[in-house]
Amino acid sequence: MFIPVDQFEDRNVTITIDKQEFQVPEGISVAAAILGHGGHADCRCSFVHGEKRAPFCFIGVCHECLVEIDGKPNQQACLVLVRDGMHIVKQQVKEG
Amino acid sequence: MKTKWEVIVVGAGPAGMACAASCAEQGMGVLVLDEQPSPGGQIYRNIERQRDKVLAVLGQEYLRGAGLATRLRISGAEYKPLSKAWKVESNGRVCFSENGSSREVQGKRVVLAIGAMERPVPFSGWTLPGVAEAGGVDAFLKSDGLVPQGPVAIAGSGPIMLLVAGHLNKLGVEVNSFFDTTPSLSVLSALPHLLPALRRVDYLAKGVAMLMETRKSVGQYKRGVSHYEAVGAEHVTAVVAHKHGKATTVPASTLLVHEGIIPRTEFTRQLRLAHKWDGVQRYWYPDIDEDGRTSLPAIFVAGDSGFVHGGVAAELKGEITALAIAAELGKGGAFNEKRQKSLRKQLAHELLTRSFVDAMYSPRPNLSAVDDHVTVCRCEEVTAKTIRALVSSGQTAPEQVKAVSRCGMGPCQGRMCSSSLIEIMASETGKNAQDLPPLNVRPPVRNIGLGELANATLLPHNAAQKSSS
Ligand code: FES
């Protein structure tokens, strides 16, 4: 879990995370929306054993932040910015 | 968009920004492909619109990036944010993905300036949510204005840990423990490098000041920790530090780890360029000359992806590469030679402390001595036990172990596990890590969906190849 360092006056972007609606500041990453504004501590489950996983590297390397964005699976939440009307779903499916 | 460029720069950290700006200033057509939404790389991430509160904490060194970003913006180089390069060809062609679609561009020269990453080191519990890399969380603070939930434990080795502890402390986050795994004997191997480092007293003094400050600000500061683990069911709840066979447990909502920095070599390895092994920092780095030239005339490497020397050095290296390219392409002015000389001098000055710091913080010898149950490959959930069993059943090549166990075959494409796989195999077989062939890297080096791959807009020659194959 992460906490915003300040109040973020402008929360003008509306998104959903697992169908729940949130107002978040523009320009933040999907990872930030999930961990810092959506009250979640994880982004997906692991492919083999279904363990909870959360962003580990925050620089686009580890792929622990994969989520479904607007119906497209396996998007790196740390490298995508929020957009008004975006639907984010934490990936809860195992592979194969 | 134009498809032909004189120079294509991959990455917009200090090296990429300096190189691209300098090339463009000298009249070359420059395209910059950057995965991030704005220039800066990790060190100067979000420099163009940083929040005041974060800016106050990051201070003077971070601000250095502002000038660079501005220079890039006004240089005339075409800057493409959120663009992931996924293939670089020896003839200067680069495929990249933007907004879910891919295309190919061609450069007379390609500069790989993709920087470095924290060395991924497996330990018990490292896949738990709440465990993250220290430098990464600092980058997340820069881009997204978020701090991790306290109490925070920080564990590992290297100056970045101090930096991150300082940032969190100033932002009011409780750092309850700091577990330093730097072996106390490291100072002996670093001593021979002290003399040149003394010429940068400013740098050393800053390090000492940071250390003192951290010791004062964190709950407990423990040196000589041999290893650590994260404990929890679905999230980290505690951290255990081991020292002289004794375990200390502290409660933690977040564990930040750091075990040094290694160059990102995905493209130089995809291109099958020659790499060298650094025995002190234990990593592979591309074999390049002082201008960043590789054995392929079209391909250059600049900044930390060539060798980890830090942000200021990366900037200098980027500019040095730009001047070398200008000379090759018949651009640049009469002053270039003089300028190149002065840049090399500045770089040498910048590197005075490097051997000292590298030796001081060289990876601890027990890094790969993880317990059997520890997950090495996070993506495919392959444990150390599986790897060791394969080695003892006679598999001696990392590629074989990868094929059988799937270690390194998940979405991160081995970025998180390949170095540990090699280290574990080396210690099992009694070989040196550098004598084991590293895993192959094949394009696409990014997870591009099959549909996107099939629909990629390629340049004529490759398009013909694609339809005929
Ligand atoms: S957090 Fe590691 S790739 Fe996104």
Side-chain angles (χ1 to χ4, degrees), chain B residues 109-163:
Chain B
R109 297 290 183 275
V110 175
V111 181
L112 301 171
I114 61 169
M117 59 184 264
E118 289 174 284
R119 181 195 316 274
V121 171
F123 59 90
S124 183
W126 76 311
T127 56
L128 282 172
V131 180
E133 292 191 306
V137 164
D138 207 44
F140 198 45
L141 163 66
K142 293 171 191 164
S143 56
D144 294 281
L146 298 172
V147 286
Q149 169 100 52
V152 175
I154 303 184
S157 174
I160 286 198
M161 287 173 65
L162 299 171
L163 199 72

Side-chain angles (χ1 to χ4, degrees), chain A residues 1-8 11 25-37 40-64 66 72-83 94-95, chain B residues 35-37 42 45 49 51-54 82 84 99-100 116-118 120 123 126-133 135-137 139-141 143-150 171 234-235 253-254 257 264 375 377-381 406 411-412 415-416 446-447 452:
Chain A
M1 283 273 289
F2 284 79
I3 302 153
V5 293
D6 53 26
Q7 289 308 310
F8 293 107
R11 290 173 173 272
E26 73 168 310
I28 65 165
S29 66
V30 171
I34 297 172
L35 301 175
H37 301 272
H40 294 270
D42 53 90
C43 276
R44 68 165 169 101
C45 74
S46 70
F47 298 134
V48 183
H49 298 122
E51 296 166 358
K52 286 200 161 47
R53 290 290 175 82
F56 180 73
C57 75
F58 293 95
I59 65 163
V61 176
C62 72
H63 291 68
E64 293 288 9
L66 297 181
K72 247 181 110 180
N74 296 325
Q75 305 298 303
Q76 284 174 280
C78 72
L79 290 180
V80 179
L81 299 187
V82 291
R83 207 177 344 89
K94 297 191 203 173
E95 216 173 35
Chain B
E35 288 188 347
Q36 293 292 324
Q42 306 308 340
R45 190 141 133 184
R49 34 173 286 180
R51 299 163 182 88
D52 291 347
K53 202 167 169 188
V54 180
L82 299 169
K84 298 180 190 177
N99 257 326
M117 59 184 264
E118 289 174 284
F123 59 90
W126 76 311
T127 56
L128 282 172
V131 180
E133 292 191 306
V137 164
F140 198 45
L141 163 66
S143 56
D144 294 281
L146 298 172
V147 286
Q149 169 100 52
L171 288 165
E234 297 210 314
H235 195 278
S253 298
T254 303
V257 293
R264 289 184 63 177
T375 300
C377 169
R378 300 174 65 107
C379 299
E380 298 291 334
E381 293 167 79
R406 295 193 57 80
C412 92
R415 286 175 174 88
M416 301 304 288
R446 277 292 182 193
N447 287 306
E452 182 176 340

Side-chain angles (χ1 to χ4, degrees), chain B residues 332-381:
Chain B
F335 295 111
N336 269 13
E337 219 166 287
K338 248 196 176 146
R339 172 126 188 79
Q340 192 70 301
K341 242 195 208 147
S342 125
L343 286 167
R344 287 197 213 285
K345 235 167 123 182
Q346 288 176 58
L347 181 60
H349 183 68
E350 189 52 38
L351 298 187
L352 284 171
T353 52
R354 209 60 219 191
S355 314
F356 178 75
V357 174
D358 280 355
M360 182 73 202
Y361 295 108
S362 78
R364 58 188 153 97
N366 65 346
L367 269 191
S368 57
V370 292
D371 287 344
D372 268 345
H373 76 274
V374 170
T375 300
V376 175
C377 169
R378 300 174 65 107
C379 299
E380 298 291 334
E381 293 167 79

